[in-house]
Every structure is written in structure tokens, then in C-alpha cells.
Amino acid sequence: QVQLMESGGDYVQSEGSLRLSCVYSGLTYTRYALAWYRQTPGKEREGVAAIDSRGDTTYADSVKGRFTISLDSAKNTVYLQMNSLKLEDSALYYCGADPLRVVTTTVLLTPLNFRFWGQGTQVTVFP
């Protein structure tokens, strides 16, 4: 069973930086993908960034140039480095995983592409 646990959420001032971490287990496959999504009350879960076991990445347009996703497979951890944070980046950030999936340009369009999820970590950006 795949399990994920996010951490690193915090209160941060606008234009500040934050790094989220997601430790995963159970991904006993040579090919898999991990992603960060975020959600605010009353809105659907939105894809932020994804990476696969080959190192391919993709980002939502709203975070390109500001966020960086990285994978340390030796530590079973995926990171999301968030720079130049904006008020609209405030959300509950979730880590998702899917075995045998690879990153494509459309993989972030739906959270249904990722079968396993963590509990989320809250990011709040203040002025």
C-alpha cells in the first residue's frame, strides 16, 4: 500500500519562500509519478507540479518560474520549493502518487490521475 505524508506548511509573508516535503512508502515500482496539488475551501483540487521516476517535470502555469519540484528517491521524498509566494498560493497542499504513471503535459489536469494521497499541509501567505 502506498502511503504519503506531507510536511513543511506554515505561515509565510508574501514574496517569501517555503519548502514542502512529502515522504512516501510502498512505491515498489521502477516507474511512478508524484505530484503536488492544492485546494482551497469551495474549490476543486488544482494541480501544481508533478515529477516522475525518470525526472520529467511539469508545472501549472500559475507557478512556473516560482515553484520547483524535485525528487530524492534515496530518501523516498518529493519536495516542492516555493519562492516569491503570493496571497493566492494559500491553500492546503496535497501530495499524490501513482504507480506506473509518467509525466505528460496533461497529467495535472485532474487529480484522478493520482490514486494515492497524503493528508495535506497548510500554506498560508499573508501580506
Side-chain angles (χ1 to χ4, degrees):
Q1 181 73 5
V2 177
Q3 294 184 319
L4 305 109
M5 180 171 292
E6 306 94 334
S7 63
D10 205 345
Y11 291 88
V12 59
Q13 194 166 23
S14 180
E15 294 302 313
S17 297
L18 204 59
R19 188 176 80 160
L20 305 183
S21 301
C22 172
V23 178
Y24 60 88
S25 63
L27 276 177
T28 56
Y29 308 89
T30 57
R31 185 178 72 184
Y32 52 86
L34 295 137
W36 287 97
Y37 278 70
R38 63 188 181 188
Q39 191 169 21
T40 54
K43 292 190 176 182
E44 294 185 356
R45 197 168 292 192
E46 171 194 29
V48 175
I51 189 168
D52 65 26
S53 51
R54 303 175 305 182
D56 290 338
T57 60
T58 189
Y59 296 89
D61 288 342
S62 59
V63 306
K64 279 181 183 176
R66 300 189 298 123
F67 290 12
T68 303
I69 189 170
S70 61
L71 175 63
D72 187 338
S73 55
K75 294 183 178 181
N76 283 7
T77 304
V78 59
Y79 302 98
L80 184 68
Q81 178 65 44
M82 305 187 292
N83 298 328
S84 303
L85 282 161
K86 304 177 180 180
L87 298 179
E88 53 264 39
D89 293 320
S90 294
L92 187 60
Y93 281 72
Y94 294 94
C95 177
D98 200 83
L100 303 178
R101 187 167 296 281
V102 296
V103 163
T104 65
T105 56
T106 61
V107 72
L108 289 175
L109 290 181
T110 171
L112 296 177
N113 285 332
F114 296 89
R115 282 176 278 174
F116 301 96
W117 295 93
Q119 294 300 306
T121 186
Q122 179 68 40
V123 173
T124 302
V125 183
F126 62 91

